[in-house]
Amino acid sequence: MAANKEPYILLTIYMALYEQKYGKKPRINKYKEKWAMQDVLDSIGFEQAKDVLNYYFRTGKNGHPLNFFYNNFDRLEDMMIQINKDVANRARLLEQTKKLVEEE
């Protein structure tokens, strides 16, 4: 995949997630937004950017504006990582508790 297509791919994902959540297509200028999305890509990479974008639409942010995503993707990434760690830790603790109960 050519790197210059990645911002457009992420914008297409954004548009699909937006339409799925709000039932209408967002009005964006892909050419203009491509440059801001490229900054996200340069910072966290394509796969991580996809994950953070998907996580963004699971948050309670009203309207899910692109500018908010651009200005806060690093915080969103940190929150996503912390939540994933918490889920893994809870699963580990649940498994340990289950083993302790079975031993009694």
Side-chain angles (χ1 to χ4, degrees):
M1 169 174 16
N4 61 351
K5 291 184 181 181
E6 289 177 344
Y8 291 114
I9 293 169
L10 290 174
L11 288 169
T12 301
I13 292 169
Y14 170 83
M15 292 172 69
L17 290 168
Y18 187 95
E19 186 172 6
Q20 181 180 13
K21 181 141 186 105
Y22 297 105
K24 61 181 182 178
K25 292 183 180 188
R27 295 184 58 154
I28 63 172
N29 179 338
K30 280 188 175 182
Y31 181 76
K32 177 185 160 224
E33 300 296 348
K34 146 188 161 170
W35 300 108
M37 194 61 83
Q38 185 62 53
D39 289 340
V40 174
L41 285 165
D42 291 343
S43 297
I44 61 175
F46 181 72
E47 291 301 321
Q48 190 70 354
K50 276 194 330 188
D51 292 343
V52 173
L53 193 54
N54 280 300
Y55 172 74
Y56 178 45
F57 275 89
R58 292 192 307 266
T59 67
K61 182 67 178 165
N62 188 29
H64 293 87
L66 266 175
N67 282 335
F68 182 86
F69 178 75
Y70 297 146
N71 293 327
N72 296 287
F73 73 88
D74 52 342
R75 289 186 211 138
L76 288 165
E77 180 188 31
D78 289 342
M79 288 172 33
M80 182 185 76
I81 290 169
Q82 292 304 318
I83 288 171
N84 289 342
K85 283 182 183 177
D86 185 53
V87 167
N89 190 38
R90 287 174 186 257
R92 183 182 54 80
L93 289 173
L94 182 64
E95 188 63 33
Q96 287 176 347
T97 303
K98 200 185 268 187
K99 285 181 184 177
L100 285 173
V101 169
E102 290 172 355
E103 288 175 3
E104 291 180 0

